[in-house]
């Protein structure tokens, strides 16, 4: 089993309104063969300064396995309830 890694995000760093608007916590983590993880985040997170800065901090932090990120346009899916 892999150890649990917690990532703390304060409301000062990412206001709750921005977290909701960007769907940041709907991001997906994918394990890579080298043991690192890749974050797949909504495009809204890339377009919002606070969310993008939060993600950049997380990716740069060597204390967690999240080493890379890509942003995906999920607007149509999110507006229609998924799918």
């Amino acid at each position: 089993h892999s150890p649990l890694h917690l990532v703390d995000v304060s409301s000062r760093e990412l206001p709750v309104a921005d977290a909701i608007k960007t769907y940041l916590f709907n991001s997906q983590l994918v394990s890579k063969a080298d043991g690192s993880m890749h974050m797949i985040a909504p495009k809204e997170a890339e377009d919002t300064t606070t969310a993008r800065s939060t993600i950049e901090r997380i990716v740069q932090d060597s204390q967690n396995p999240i080493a890379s990120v890509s942003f995906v346009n999920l607007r149509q899916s999110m507006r229609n309830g998924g799918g």
Side-chain angles (χ1 to χ4, degrees), residues 19 22-30 38-43 45-46 51 55 58 66 69-72 74 78:
T22 64
Y23 307 103
L24 177 60
F25 296 111
N26 287 64
S27 298
Q28 299 293 308
L29 296 175
V30 179
H38 179 78
M39 176 186 283
I40 302 170
K43 178 81 169 120
E46 181 181 36
I55 292 169
I58 291 168
I66 304 169
V69 64
S70 59
F71 297 95
V72 179
L74 302 172
M78 296 300 281

